[in-house]
Amino acid sequence: MKKHRYMTLRNVAIFTVITLGVGWAGRWLDIAMGNPSGESLGMLLWLVTPPLVALLLRAFAGDGWADFGLKPNFRGNGVWYAVALLIYPVLTMLALGLGGSLQLITFPGLSLATLGVIAKTFALDAVPQFVKNIFEEAAWRGYLTPKVYSLGLKSYGGHVLVGLIWGAWHIPYYLFFLDRTILQDFTTLPVALFIPVSIVVMVAWALVYGEIRLLTGSIWPVVLVHMVEDAFVNQLILEKHIVIAP
């Protein structure tokens, strides 16, 4: 038992060190090769390394596959699949309603046609976002969440730790790989302030994602949660369906 705990702790440390360092290595690679930051080889390295490291640790470092959560486990988890699909739309609508009533948010050109465009864009973007998030969630909820939980941390403390590591992994993305014009669509904060705020947000996400992952024993509802966030919430801002007061 003690040996297994040591192995898990060692492998979690390896995963953490590599994933937190790979974005900076990717930036160095881009500079060395003279590549632009956005959509670069360095960004690809940053994106694919966490799931790759997780798979290698499972296959060759003793972690195994028992707690990967690859089975969908539909039976008895219908409520959590519904939560996965609805939590972002419901909370977003509540936030937009509150923001609209306080005149902090406006809805330019709101109509049935606009709602149809939003639904169509979501349908077109859902599949690529689903595929992308299989890889991302294989690392964070497929690997790190169950491994941290198995170390004996209470679930919420474990989720906070996962959220902090997940958030810190995003720092090179915000600094180097994300186009600043896109970032400016989402926030008026300078990057130095936006990064800690975004990490706090990701800790909050990790609490929800992690609990759903542990309750269902599957990564698939978490992939759905992340898919809906990327395909639904982001387009509202990027496509200017909502405008937030400065």
Side-chain angles (χ1 to χ4, degrees), residues 71-152:
K71 293 181 179 179
N73 295 339
F74 291 124
R75 181 174 294 180
N77 289 315
V79 169
W80 295 113
Y81 273 92
V83 168
L85 291 170
L86 296 175
I87 188 168
Y88 273 117
V90 169
L91 292 179
T92 299
M93 292 302 104
L94 290 173
L96 293 180
L98 178 62
S101 67
L102 296 174
Q103 298 183 329
L104 298 175
I105 299 175
T106 57
F107 309 91
L110 180 62
S111 65
L112 288 177
T114 304
L115 295 177
V117 170
I118 292 172
K120 182 179 179 180
T121 303
F122 173 78
L124 290 173
D125 201 28
V127 172
Q129 292 297 342
F130 182 82
V131 173
K132 186 271 286 186
N133 285 309
I134 291 174
F135 292 97
E136 186 165 346
E137 291 304 329
W140 302 107
R141 257 58 60 174
Y143 181 78
L144 192 57
T145 293
K147 291 306 175 187
V148 167
Y149 186 68
S150 73
L151 291 173

Side-chain angles (χ1 to χ4, degrees), residues 19-20 23-24 46-47 132 136 140-141 163-178 194-195 198-199 202 205 226:
T19 55
L20 293 189
W24 305 96
W46 168 80
L47 191 62
K132 186 271 286 186
E136 186 165 346
W140 302 107
R141 257 58 60 174
L164 289 172
I165 298 170
W166 187 31
W169 173 68
H170 279 82
I171 292 175
Y173 174 68
Y174 294 134
L175 288 175
F176 310 125
F177 304 132
L178 179 62
F194 174 76
I195 286 174
S198 72
I199 292 175
M202 273 179 264
W205 285 0
H226 208 154

